[in-house]
Amino acid sequence: MADAVFLALAVITIGSAIAALELRSLIYGSIALMGTLGGIAGFFFLLDAPFVALFQLAVYVGSIAVLILFTVMLVKRELIFKKIEDKRRKFAGIGLMLVIMVSLGAVFLDSGIKTITTDEPAPNFRDIGIDFVTYYWPALILMGLLLAGSVTGALVLAKREDVENDQRAS
Amino acid sequence: MTSELVDFTLVSVALLGIGIYGLAVKRNFIRMLFAVEIIINAANLNMVAFGRFLPHSGGQTMALFSIAIAAAEVAVGLSLIIVAYRMYQNVDIADFRSLKG
Amino acid sequence: MIEITSTPLVLIAILGTVGILLPIISIARKEQGSNSFYAVIAFAALIVSMGYVGYQFYAENIASSALFSEDVIVDDAFGGFFAIAMLIVAVFTTVGSFNYMRKHNSPAVYYSLILLATIGMVLVAYSTDLIMLFVAWELMSIPTYILVGYMKKNPSSNEAALKYFLFGALSSAIIVYGISISYGLTGSTNIGEVIQGYSTLDPSLLPLALLSVGMFIAGFGFKMGLVPFHQWLPDTYEGAPPTITALLAAATKKAGFAATIRIVVLGMVVLNLDWTLALGIIAVMTMTIGNVAAIMQKSISRMLAYSSIAHAGYILIGLAVAPHSSLGLQGSLYQIMNHAVMKGAAFIAIVGIVTTLGVTHIDKLKGLGRRMPITALGMIIALFALAGVPPLSGFWSKLMLFGSALDASSALWWAPWLAIAGVLNSALSLAYYGWITRKMYFEGETEKRVVEPKSVIAVMIFSTIFLVGFGVYPEPLIKFVEFATPVISLGLMP
Amino acid sequence: MATEAFGLPFEVGTLSAWLVWILPFAAAMIIPGVGKLSKHATGYVAVAFALMSALSAATMIPVALEAHELHHQIMWIEALGLKGGVLADPLSIIMANVVGWISFLIMIYSTGYMKGDKDITRFWFWMMFFIGSMQLIVLSDNLLQVFFGWEGVGLASYALISFWYRDKKKDHVGVEGRTVLGMLDYYAPTHAGMKAFIMTKVGDVMMIAGMLLIFLFAGTFGFKELMGDTDWATAMAAQGLLVPAFVLLFGGAVGKSAQFPLNEWLLEAMTGPTAVSALIHAATMVKAGVFLVARIGPLVFALSAAGIMADQFFEIIAWVGAITALLLATQGMVNNEIKKVLAYSTGSQIGYMMMALGIAGLSHQYVDGYTAGFFHLISHAMFKASLFMAAGSLLHIVGSRFMSDMGGLRKQMKKTYAFMWAAGLGLMGAPFITTGFWSKDAIFAAVYTSGNEWAMPLYIIAVLTAVITAFYTTRMIGLVFFGKKSKHIEKMEEEGHHIHEAPMSMWIPYGILAVLTIGIGLIGLSAEEGLHHMFTDYLEHSFGIHSEHVANEASILPEFLQGLNPVALGSSLVAFATGIGLGYIFYIGRWVDPVKFVNSNIFFYSIHKVILNRWYLNAIIYWCFVVAPLWLARGVFRYFEKTAIDYGMNDGVQKAVGWSAKVVQGTQTGVSQSYLFVFGAGLLFVVLILLI
Amino acid sequence: MEYALLQAVFLPLLLSPVAYIIGRKVGPTPAMWFTFAILLYTTILVINAALSGTVEEHYPWTEMFGEFGFLLDGLASPFAIIIYVLSTILALYSKPYMIHKFHEQFEEEQKITTSSSGQSSVIESSSLTNYVNAKSGLYFALYLVFAMGMLGTVLSTNLIEFYIFFEVMLIPGFFLVALWGDGPRRKIGLMFLFWTHAGAVVLLLGFLMIGLTLGSFDFADIKESEIPADIAMYSAVAISIGLGVKLAVFMFHIWLPYVHGSAPTPISALLSPAMIGIGAYGLFRLIVEFLPMTFADLAIWFHIWGLVTMIYGGAMALMQDDLKRMLAYSSISQMGYILFGIGSISVLGLAGAEMMYVTHAIGKGILFMMAGIIIVKVGTRSISKLGGLAGKMPITAVCAVIGALTIMGVPPTSGFMGEWILFFGALETAIEEGSTLRAVTFGLGLVATALTMSYMLWMLKRVFFGKTPEHLEHVKEGSWYMTAPMMVLAGFSIVVGIYPDIFLKTIIPYMNGVLGV
């Protein structure tokens, strides 16, 4: 049962990842990306991490993907469907991808990790909270600074200065 | 648990490969952003999977940080795209090649 | 338990507060504040931070060398050392921006981002936890993505930012991936525990451990500009505003090294493998490609960008031989400090040139020695220091680096070749430093003098005093480096 | 001995020995200063110092007559423990006197000859420098100091040969446009000076090698020290280095004395002022080689007496001398330039001396050959100096160096004519009345009686050379003073020049020497015996070379010639007669036209041509040691230095670096995809390195 | 005197800004006299110290790399004296030459300005004066630093210190060549910088190997310790290559003809005699003294290398038409002699090599000054365009002949004293070892002296003798600033030639000590 779910999730995740990159339309691509992100969330559920899974759904599928979608819609229509690729580069890329997959996969398969199984209960999300306030709290401060900085920065960048100047002038 | 740790890692490796493929091949900046997100998610999957099998709460904590940072990154990346789009009316990164040599 | 007076926390407090406050002030003042107003605030914050670090050193509150800690950060000399190096560069950047930012909008956010990025860099060096390190890393990276693209009307700036962003995003993803594997193998994100875990690792898991290290090298290597992760670097350095290039080249790069030393070197020692060869090969490739490509460049920023790739190669020598020679890391740290000042000064000189003359093309620098004598002199001194010409400070660090390679020759057969490659490269590098010198001093005799920006002059004077002073009498700096360098030996345990 | 007569720490004679060479150097030092004040004064200063030097030399004569020797040393190079000093033994005292007085006479001659030359100060400087250096050679007590003098005279010779450095046409030697094997046989003064300096340097190089070898084993350069303890020679002989070392030392003498095969420089040395030719290239400097052999010869002979055989050394000397004597004498027969004829003659005569000194070592009676050689040196110094000065007068008056531009001058220049005959007879060895006869006869006798296996061939060469000598001397006098006036002279007279006798300051010196040639010749035999006696004592005393006094068998000769070897005497007479007779037929009586005679027969013609072309020796030397090396150097310069080194390492490195820079920059395409691809591949690469 | 050597080294450095200011504000003559005074004072300090035997000074520096010290012993004192004496008198010589050069460059620049602006502007004399003042200030400042760098190298007591000074002399040299050289001066300046720096860094590798193996960079420690044979060999090879570049021995001589040919003549006259010979000093100090066993192995290669250099340099000198280039090749050849002497591995051979440094400095100094006078007074440096100058400039001609004789090694000049001692040393070893190879090299070495003589005499003949071309009819003798230094050196050459104890007295005991005789 679990295996079937796992397989289904794997297919969805990987398949939609490929689709996100290969679909002609960017809009469908972003929707496919949502599929991937959702698939990952599914995995999180499977791994008994519902808190992270929900966070994933909220932040990723909810906000990031939507943000991307809006951006996609901002750009011109023809750009959304434009998909020029160098064939040679594409094949090389596929080659690289396969080599990475095979070699890293071989490393994983070959290593002792294969035998690791666990019957212990999954970590409680309370532990996460305790971790945050007792151990990771400086990282949290930084996280705050990081978000503040990136938001102000992104705003400054995205601000249309000409419009602004016009307004100011008027 | 019937699915083993290694299965999750293999999915993660596959996603990593796809992500790198996407970065190396795709020309549309937005699609490249997709690829980055795919890699980050692969890493997150890894972390949570490892955290589950250790078992240890750190994996999930890390995944949370990672998701948040990815969000910030995406925000910045998109703002850069917007600037670029305003300037060039284009998001094809392969056309952005005035700096070279 | 982290004390509230520990340096990293105080730095976060000072710089973070100011960093957050700056945009708020700006909004409160309806974006009317002049550039210098914010610059002065940022400058003050940085100076105060530096003063605090200095005070901590002076009061001997800081433990020597890198320690592992139960906590996510540790207040050690290693971090302090990097903090000083990066704060110097941040000050350079701020001072250099006095004039440069006059023509541009939104100065408040600009300085705020510089301060935030500075926190990130400093905290990378102080971190003892992988997550902390990663967050700090991102705090360093994301503001710089924005800063590189800060010139919104300038296509190069944007292009540079896009490339930088792509690589940055990819490499952070790779780092996270690496962290995830190392976490999976050891069950902890604390570096000390990770290393301990590695030392008792089941042999069957070793390939995975190495995989994680490879990902760290790649991820941090992006920032350090190691070949083959370097290709974004010249483009970005060329396109970015020169003040930010100074920050990138002189400071964020060093954060990469700080992280590498903390994780890769310290961690890898326990794996007890011939892993140093990888770093050795990368070191040779990096310096060679950097130096070769720097020759015949037309833009001075780009030339210096390649030069900083080459310097990453030199620094990597020290890391590669670290387990076998105590000089290795000392040399690296020393070079990091020197490179921060030298490269910082060189790019700030470019800032001066760009603000007054508006050119970066080397052919247009003809007669700079006459047009901007102080800037030119400061730049030449920085360049010669980069080339490792005595009696400038850059010489000593190269000396220690090459020395460490030779020192390790009894343990590593290939180590002397690192030294030879380094030496030949540093001879080669003189070709393009000499080329700039030639353009600035021996051509265009008829140029007239122009007014140089005072802020740039200040930086030049500082860097000249630093480079010449520590070149002639390097003892204090060597002592400092020795104090800050973690002692590494095989079988080291946290 | 008047030891410490003046409160000096050494004998008065020793002081003279120092002064003899220091005075000329002192003069050389002050002459440029004097020259600034007055150019005329320089001549007087020079003559005065030359006289003082000669007088100093004369004061030492008593020492020589007692066969005593003065040796005084001072510390020179303390770091190496080398001492410098003077050694005044009979050999050096006589030589010093010969040099001193002849140079004094030539200095007087020069005041006339060089009158009005605007570079006169330089002339006097170098002349005095030369005398000082020459006397330094003579009086030094060690080889190193000798070498100082040796190079000093070489330097002076160089400077004086190219004295007229402006290379005017009249100062050249050789015939303009004439080539031998493609080499121009026409030399400018500056070229000649260079040639002389470099060619003698080849000898000097050998000499220094020899010196250093000896120093290596003996640890000293001093002649006295070398003689004192001969262990070094045993050690050297054991390694087979003794003879090579001395032969190398002799190499220096070969160079300086213009012996075969380093003889060619002497001819071009004639570009110098004639006074210089007389002093340096006839009377003194070229004798330095002979002197050196005379200095070291007894040493070697003494060693061979002590059982260390060094016969080859003497054989080489004898043969080099003999070959030179013949080779150069033949060339004297055909040359048209009067100074060159004299120069050939000089080389040839020095060959005689060498032969004598060489054969001495091969015979039992070392002193015979030794005396003969040295006696010939003295007599040659007199008559050759005289001849040169006379020739200088001719040049001075006629204004041409070619004998074909002279002719029939015996009326106008009576004194010169007479003195030239006198000196010329000395050169020819006119029987019984000239010093040349006695000294040459002594050489013949020494060769003949040596009892060596090579004695016969050497003897034949000697006699043949004597014939030729007599012939070319006669030819020279005949061409210059007999026959018709040449076109050149006629032209001069048409232009109003009056051919007249040389001024007094010029003819007196060579007059004195010519008279001395005859004068001493009259008492020649006793002079020779005195010398013989002196040297016997000297060799006995200083080197322990015993000479058994062989009681003369009563010979068929008249009483006053008792003691001469009849065979030698006979051949000497025959040679003289044949030579002068042939010369008379061709050039004085002019019964046969020499040109027609030579052209009459392909055999004579070819011989004439070979001889006229200097046996092709000069051309070959030029081809091998000037043209070929220059050609080689040019080749190396063009095809190695310019290409491999210069282009290869400067431009090549630059280009290679530039090219690789281009390649590396080419990979930086600006396309992010490529970068990212490389990043991915790099990641893989790093992982693989780590895993492998 | 306390701190004598410290003063001698650092006074010129510290006062060089003063020289700059004097030059700028007052003019070239005061700057020249100021420079001269400093150098004279420091020269006296050095000579005074040398007279009192071995002098050593030590100052604290770094813990890791050892002390900062100065040592004036039998080896260093001839080098030190020659360097400073030459620097001192060349300061005088510099003035007229450099003023000539500044004028030339000023006119050149004026031409550029006028041609670029398209209108003729009147050259104001005040601007010329300002130009000359500014340039001469800079020149003398660099000059002082250059001199100080050379002295510092020779006096160092620490490998790193040695290296630092070794490079310090390079930088002012580079600027001097690139600013006031002839021909493509910028390119040549860079070439100089590049090649000698490349050599220097190889040298540094050797230093590091020694220093790290022993854990100390101080000469005193190195001398006392045993270095493992393989390390010693590697480092010796690196050091010889590094110093070989400085010495410009065969195959590493690429830069020298260009640089010496192009540098302003007073600098050529310092570069060629004083600076490149420091390579020889390095060989003595670092290889002969510190790595005696390795030296014994390498000696024969030095010997042969020296011989090849000697002959090659001489042959190339024959081919030159440019006077200064010819002298440059001659310097290469002379460095071959020195290397030859070092390779002889005997007391006298080594002593002779050091004497060769002294005598080459004197002789080549004179000859370069001669070339400078010709450049200033005649305006050409092509030998084929010269001739018969002896009558026009007698003092120069006489001094040049003495200089040439010194190079040729003709007594009574100092050259002979160097040469015979040198060759004796070579012969000694050849005989003692019974080595045919060494005997042959000895012989060829002697033959090379004839080659030296040939090119020198030929040069003299073509420059000073022969017919005077018409365009040289109005040539005059150089000024006293230029001739007096030559005469001093010429006199010095003869004094040393007759009384070589001046230097040999200190050299021989040192060499005895080094070779353990």
Side-chain angles (χ1 to χ4, degrees), chain C residues 331-416:
Chain C
S332 294
L333 254 62
Y334 200 164
Q335 176 78 346
I336 282 166
M337 176 64 94
N338 280 334
H339 188 251
V341 177
M342 301 183 291
K343 247 319 138 38
F347 275 111
I348 296 303
I350 296 178
V351 172
I353 296 166
V354 169
T355 38
T356 36
L357 306 175
V359 292
T360 54
H361 199 284
I362 288 179
D363 279 340
K364 301 243 170 72
L365 296 183
K366 269 185 193 168
L368 196 75
R370 279 176 192 71
R371 285 202 275 183
M372 307 176 68
I374 298 171
T375 312
L377 186 68
M379 185 155 174
I380 285 298
I381 287 176
L383 292 182
F384 274 99
L386 282 169
V389 174
L392 300 171
S393 193
F395 161 70
W396 293 97
S397 46
K398 273 198 185 170
L399 183 69
M400 283 163 89
L401 284 171
F402 300 156
S404 71
L406 292 174
D407 201 23
S409 60
S410 51
L412 304 169
W413 60 268
W414 43 267

Side-chain angles (χ1 to χ4, degrees), chain C residues 330 389 403 442 472 475 479, chain E residues 61-64 171 186 212:
Chain C
Q330 290 177 19
V389 174
F442 308 138
V472 172
E475 185 64 5
K479 281 268 169 283
Chain E
W61 197 29
T62 67
E63 242 170 59
M64 187 178 281
I171 295 167
R186 302 171 185 118
L212 293 166

